[in-house]
Structure formats: C-alpha cells, structure tokens
Amino acid sequence: MWKEEDNKLKRSFKFNDFKEAIAFMNEVADIADELDHHPWWSNVYDTVNIELYTHDAGNTVTDRDRKLAQHIDTIYEQYA
C-alpha cells in the first residue's frame, strides 16, 4: 500500500529473490520512461523501495505520481 509522507508517495515491494526484483524494476523503468516520469528507488536483494514526487511541482505529490503508482501496482500484481 502506498503511503503519502514528506510530500512523497512511498512503498516497498518484496520479491522471491534479486532477479525477480530486477525484472520488476525493468518493467517499471519501461512505463516510467513512457510517461516521462521517473521514480527515486533503491534495491537491496529482494526488496525495492520507491518514492514518487514531482520536481516541477515543487517536490510534491501530483496526479502524475498517482498515475505512475497505479501502473506500478499493476506490474507488481504479476509478482504477488
């Protein structure tokens, strides 16, 4: 579940292993590039942490972030 905190949408995603986490990140990268809206993220082994916020709007959460979050959730459903 996404949580809005510190003017960011934040969520952690858990996977079976590192390769699955990276596959997820690659899929998210494709849609982020398509939407021209790129997340801040980190990966450690089986966990991907994502933060979404819009620089152009003063580093706050916008509809662009919510739209990307929905796409990310749809991608994650394939792994859950």
Side-chain angles (χ1 to χ4, degrees), residues 31-32 35 37 39 52 64-72:
I31 192 67
L35 296 175
H37 193 57
L52 302 175
R64 292 181 76 198
D65 304 298
R66 289 182 182 89
K67 182 177 179 180
L68 180 54
Q70 288 176 338
H71 284 286
I72 292 169

Side-chain angles (χ1 to χ4, degrees), residues 39-76:
W40 176 95
W41 57 11
S42 65
N43 164 251
V44 176
Y45 183 60
D46 66 347
T47 304
V48 176
N49 297 303
I50 298 179
E51 294 182 0
L52 302 175
Y53 54 96
T54 303
H55 300 287
D56 297 345
N59 295 325
T60 191
V61 176
T62 67
D63 287 340
R64 292 181 76 198
D65 304 298
R66 289 182 182 89
K67 182 177 179 180
L68 180 54
Q70 288 176 338
H71 284 286
I72 292 169
D73 286 344
T74 299
I75 292 168
Y76 184 63

